[in-house]
């Protein structure tokens, strides 16, 4: 790669301590100028959004995550005080928990169990893992982020004897997400089984009046924190969703907010060449042809950023993965995101990246600071951190040689401020990119289909169990039960087969397999 090209496409932002390198995309000389008109429209749309326009038209909602770190920019006095009052309440609650003023019947809370899914888990998980200091954290954090019974047993097993010192924070914007409801019920059952009163351990983060809000009121939980309809789940890390768990862990949430605010200020500038979010959005546009033609492989060379790709997966894919554009035309937009961390992944799938199907571009994330404290020399004058950078730069070159494209983001460290910056940067890139390709980044109409179908599966399971219970000891074929319950035979088989595996009924193997019978 030429030095001249690097000089042109390497963009340092010393005031942020960040740099963006687009030199490993073969950008034509006129690419940025060819998109300037579209980018100016994107800046205007973003300014309107930040001023409180209904930027999520189908859901009739404002999109206000940028106000969370600059309350003075919120369009009304009520919104401004909602943000600042909640932040103060989070800090006061965390301080009282740490001081033992808010404690459980068994004394101070030392363990934190966060129950949520999607946007109500991925941000908290990313931040907890990135910034955790097991020896120094004020609380040890655990997560339920699924309705997997064994997964929850595993976590409860990890908490073990400390359940009496556990604070549970149930997070759900809608307050009606079934996985989270199940997690709450399972956790409450575990508390009761240990002779503990869940209400004395539980806190809710949810929308006003939601089902979860009602449960918290009815059961007299310890505390409640709000989640607002103008904050989307995948952009909620910097409201109570992410800030409450982080504050309880003992992390510096002010520094996270300051980092985000600084990035917002830098990416609000409507001058493409000076704006890292605009440049990165244009990098995505070029790399993916504006139609998701290439996947985004996110490779941070830092263990602590392992969960960033999962966090970005929701932020980017739920925002950009849309069937229709803003005019209602079918576009099937999106950018697929995956990745873990380097150099670990070099020993796994990087083989295919270099030599296999060329359907991706990589986002390398370089962290300048190696570690706290002294570095061991693993060879004369050379440290593990030297190797980490060596592998990053080496892999980048190895990919470039084979016409595999990449962008590189350099950050100073993994600190609360840097995480705030990264979160804000990608939120802005997603918003600008969505404008460039003409889609609504702030709704998620596609996720409902799977939820509705799951409800149908549960209803069919109930019918099947009722049918078997009504004729105990009788063997039924799959097709007989399908007819009797008006169910799809494939679903009938899948449901019965699993119930049998869990000892809820008896399966007698047939030959061929689809003549197996089931008995209640
Ligand atoms: O916070 P909740 O309302 O429980 O939602 C949790 C998640 O569930 C949904 O399926 C949405 O697609 C996500 O955007 C959301 O973050």
């Amino acid at each position: 790669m030429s030095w001249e090209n690097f000089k042109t496409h390497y963009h340092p932002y010393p005031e942020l301590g960040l740099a963006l390198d687009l030199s490993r995309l073969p950008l034509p000389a006129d690419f940025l100028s060819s998109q300037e008109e579209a980018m100016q429209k994107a800046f205007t749309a973003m300014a309107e959004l930040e001023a409180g326009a209904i930027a999520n038209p189908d859901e009739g909602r404002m999109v206000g995550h940028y106000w969370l770190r600059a309350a003075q920019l919120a369009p009304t006095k009520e919104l401004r005080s909602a943000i600042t009052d909640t932040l103060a309440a989070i800090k006061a609650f965390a301080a009282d928990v740490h001081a033992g003023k808010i404690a459980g019947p068994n004394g101070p809370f030392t363990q934190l169990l966060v129950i949520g899914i999607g946007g109500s888990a991925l941000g908290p998980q990313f931040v907890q893992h990135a910034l955790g200091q097991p020896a120094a954290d004020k609380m040890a954090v655990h997560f339920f982020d699924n309705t997997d019974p064994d997964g929850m047993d595993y976590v409860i097993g990890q908490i073990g004897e400390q359940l009496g010192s556990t604070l549970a924070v149930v997070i759900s914007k809608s307050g009606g997400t079934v996985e989270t409801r199940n997690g709450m019920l399972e956790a409450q059952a575990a508390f009761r089984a240990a002779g503990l009163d869940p209400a004395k351990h539980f806190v809710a983060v949810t929308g006003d009046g939601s089902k979860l809000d009602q449960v918290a009121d009815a059961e007299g939980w310890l505390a409640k924190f709000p989640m607002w309809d103008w904050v989307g789940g995948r952009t909620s890390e910097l409201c109570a969703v992410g800030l409450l768990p982080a504050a309880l862990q003992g992390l510096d949430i002010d520094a996270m907010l300051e980092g985000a605010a600084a990035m917002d200020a830098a990416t609000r500038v409507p001058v493409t060449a000076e704006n890292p979010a605009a440049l990165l959005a244009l990098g995505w546009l070029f790399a993916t042809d504006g139609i998701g033609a290439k996947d985004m492989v996110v490779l941070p060379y830092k263990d602590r950023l392992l969960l960033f790709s999962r966090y970005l997966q929701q932020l980017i894919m739920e925002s950009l993965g849309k069937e229709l554009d803003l005019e209602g035309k079918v576009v099937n937009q999106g950018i697929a995101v995956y990745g873990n961390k380097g150099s670990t992944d070099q020993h796994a799938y990087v083989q295919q990246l270099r030599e296999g199907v060329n359907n991706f571009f990589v986002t390398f994330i370089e962290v300048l600071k190696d570690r706290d404290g002294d570095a061991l020399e693993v060879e004369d004058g050379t440290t593990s951190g030297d190797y980490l950078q060596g592998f990053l730069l080496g892999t980048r070159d190895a990919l470039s040689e084979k016409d595999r494209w990449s962008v590189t983001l350099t950050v100073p460290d993994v600190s609360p401020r840097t995480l705030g910056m990264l979160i804000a940067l990608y939120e802005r890139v997603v918003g600008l990119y969505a404008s460039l390709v003409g889609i609504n980044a702030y709704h998620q109409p596609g996720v409902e289909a799977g939820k509705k179908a799951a409800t149908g599966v549960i209803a069919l399971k109930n019918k099947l169990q009722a049918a078997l219970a009504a004729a105990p000891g009788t063997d039924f074929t799959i097709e007989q039960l399908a007819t009797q319950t008006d169910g799809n035979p494939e679903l009938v088989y899948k449901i019965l087969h699993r119930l049998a595996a869990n000892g809820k009924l008896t399966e007698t193997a047939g030959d061929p397999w689809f003549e197996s019978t089931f008995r209640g």
Side-chain angles (χ1 to χ4, degrees):
M1 306 309 297
S2 88
W3 172 236
E4 287 312 313
N5 186 49
F6 182 69
K7 283 200 285 189
T8 310
H9 293 296
Y10 179 73
H11 305 275
Y13 299 91
E15 67 291 358
L16 297 171
L18 175 126
L20 174 65
D21 175 6
L22 298 180
S23 69
R24 283 156 196 267
L25 296 176
L27 291 170
D30 65 348
F31 184 72
L32 297 193
S33 54
S34 71
Q35 296 300 327
E36 185 54 19
E37 199 183 323
M39 185 52 83
Q40 286 303 326
K41 281 197 192 136
F43 286 141
T44 305
M46 187 61 85
E48 286 166 5
L49 173 151
E50 288 205 71
I54 301 295
N56 180 355
D58 347 8
E59 297 183 357
R61 291 180 187 179
M62 297 189 291
V63 174
H65 49 269
Y66 300 109
W67 310 326
L68 298 169
R69 48 265 189 169
Q72 73 280 6
L73 299 182
T76 67
K77 197 165 141 279
E78 289 68 28
L79 290 174
R80 291 194 282 278
S81 19
I83 295 165
T84 48
D85 293 354
T86 301
L87 185 57
I90 289 169
K91 289 183 187 170
F93 183 80
D96 284 351
V97 168
H98 296 155
K101 281 194 213 154
I102 297 176
N106 293 12
F109 291 122
T110 59
Q111 309 293 307
L112 176 62
L113 172 60
V114 177
I115 303 170
I117 197 168
S120 293
L122 289 162
Q125 287 170 322
F126 166 48
V127 168
Q128 182 269 336
H129 179 255
L131 299 177
Q133 301 286 357
D137 285 346
K138 303 241 190 227
M139 299 179 82
V141 192
H142 313 266
F143 290 93
F144 276 9
D145 69 350
N146 197 358
T147 183
D148 174 10
D150 173 63
M152 292 186 273
D153 291 346
Y154 182 93
V155 174
I156 292 295
Q158 270 184 328
I159 297 175
E161 296 297 307
Q162 318 247 50
L163 201 61
S165 319
T166 300
L167 181 71
V169 176
V170 185
I171 307 178
S172 175
K173 174 179 170 177
S174 63
T177 303
V178 172
E179 291 93 329
T180 302
R181 192 274 320 255
N182 294 357
M184 173 193 80
L185 294 174
E186 296 260 2
Q188 290 188 325
F191 276 93
R192 284 194 198 99
L196 301 160
D197 174 6
K200 299 198 160 53
H201 294 256
F202 273 61
V203 172
V205 178
T206 190
D208 192 29
S210 76
K211 276 191 201 160
L212 172 58
D213 192 45
Q214 292 169 28
V215 171
D217 279 346
E219 297 181 0
W221 288 12
L222 278 178
K224 290 193 311 183
F225 294 87
M227 173 66 182
W228 304 291
D229 78 339
W230 44 268
V231 178
R234 54 190 172 274
T235 54
S236 64
E237 174 51 28
L238 297 175
C239 73
V241 169
L243 296 181
L244 180 64
L248 287 165
Q249 189 181 347
L251 306 178
D252 184 350
I253 60 172
D254 284 329
M256 285 170 64
L257 292 166
E258 279 161 24
M263 180 58 75
D264 287 341
T267 54
R268 199 173 274 134
V269 176
V271 182
T272 306
E274 292 172 14
N275 181 326
L279 291 171
L280 189 50
L282 290 171
W284 292 5
L285 192 77
F286 175 79
T288 70
D289 264 345
I291 53 166
K294 285 190 193 270
D295 301 345
M296 184 187 308
V297 182
V298 179
L299 274 186
Y301 276 61
K302 204 71 188 164
D303 288 359
R304 286 180 177 274
L305 296 182
L306 173 70
L307 299 183
F308 193 40
S309 56
R310 280 179 74 193
Y311 172 81
L312 287 181
Q313 209 163 41
Q314 185 199 20
L315 176 64
I316 296 173
M317 296 179 73
E318 204 167 53
S319 300
L320 303 182
K322 300 292 156 69
E323 181 176 32
L324 304 178
D325 69 7
L326 285 167
E327 280 154 17
K329 202 166 92 225
V330 175
V331 287
N332 299 116
Q333 267 291 356
I335 302 177
V337 179
Y338 65 94
N340 300 296
K341 61 171 176 163
S343 70
T344 316
D345 289 357
Q346 281 176 230
H347 300 271
Y349 59 80
V350 169
Q351 162 66 26
Q352 173 170 324
L353 298 190
R354 184 153 194 270
E355 297 188 355
V357 54
N358 191 355
N359 62 351
F360 65 91
F361 71 104
V362 178
T363 301
F364 288 102
I365 300 178
E366 178 188 33
V367 179
L368 294 177
K369 182 175 170 184
D370 283 350
R371 60 157 36 126
D372 286 332
D374 296 338
L376 175 78
E377 293 189 3
V378 290
E379 289 165 14
D380 213 8
T382 299
T383 66
S384 301
D386 294 332
Y387 267 104
L388 193 63
Q389 188 190 37
F391 284 122
L392 187 160
L393 298 179
T395 298
R396 236 169 40 134
D397 272 351
L399 292 176
S400 296
E401 274 166 17
K402 290 277 189 179
D403 195 30
R404 269 61 177 173
W405 302 345
S406 62
V407 301
T408 304
L409 199 57
T410 301
V411 296
D413 52 20
V414 180
S415 62
R417 181 181 163 83
T418 297
L419 289 203
M421 288 198 307
L422 281 173
I423 288 166
L425 174 66
Y426 276 88
E427 285 175 353
R428 186 84 56 165
V429 179
V430 163
L432 293 175
Y433 182 89
S435 286
L436 293 176
V437 301
I439 55 161
N440 176 357
Y442 305 106
H443 65 171
Q444 52 286 330
V447 299
E448 291 309 315
K451 292 186 196 170
K452 277 196 198 122
T455 309
V457 172
I458 298 292
L460 178 57
K461 179 199 73 75
N462 291 341
K463 276 198 202 169
L464 287 165
Q465 284 180 307
L468 289 169
T474 312
D475 285 311
F476 292 94
T477 64
I478 298 162
E479 287 170 24
Q480 282 171 333
L481 284 167
T483 309
Q484 207 175 320
T485 56
D486 201 17
N488 167 337
E490 179 186 338
L491 290 181
V492 168
Y493 169 68
K494 296 294 294 172
I495 291 167
L496 295 172
H497 189 56
R498 188 193 131 263
L499 287 173
N502 285 281
K504 296 283 173 61
L505 49 85
T506 306
E507 176 172 358
T508 307
D511 184 16
W513 66 269
F514 48 80
E515 278 167 14
S516 298
T517 57
F518 294 87
R519 185 169 64 242

